[in-house]
Amino acid sequence: MLLPKEFTIFYTDDDEDDIEFFCEVAGEVNNTANIHTYPSGLKLLAALENPPPAPSMLFLDLNMPGLTGFDVLTKLRASDSFKKLPIVIFSTSHDEQSIALSKELGASYYVPKSSNFSTLKESIAHAMRIDWKTFNATEENFVYSA
């Protein structure tokens, strides 16, 4: 799928190295994408409540101090404004409980952070290329696997 010219990604993570790496990889996948990063769930929610810009999709880390990714996901899915926003969980947690809870709370997709550079790059690229208008998450396709 070709990405639209006006493609805005919001990424929330408390780890500066992960943010820097994500921006580098996402920029390689789509060099016209507008990438906005937030170091906490509170800052993300504030940005979402005060557009522009508005995200085309959101990558969300789970393990953050203060509001966790689960907290943010719950708040966003409770809002009519964000019910259909593609929300990709992008986390080092890849245990069955975190994955199941993410799906239950309304995440669109789950990408475990890989320590392998090429796998990590491909996982971000794959999530960015999903056609969210037609994608239907099932038990079989909810989690990215290389």
Side-chain angles (χ1 to χ4, degrees), residues 12-15 60-70 89-95 98 110 113:
T12 304
D13 198 318
D14 63 313
D15 186 308
L60 181 62
D61 185 34
L62 291 179
N63 303 312
M64 297 183 291
L67 290 179
T68 67
F70 294 123
I89 301 300
F90 189 55
S91 180
T92 54
S93 299
H94 53 272
D95 59 282
S98 295
Y110 197 101
K113 289 181 186 174

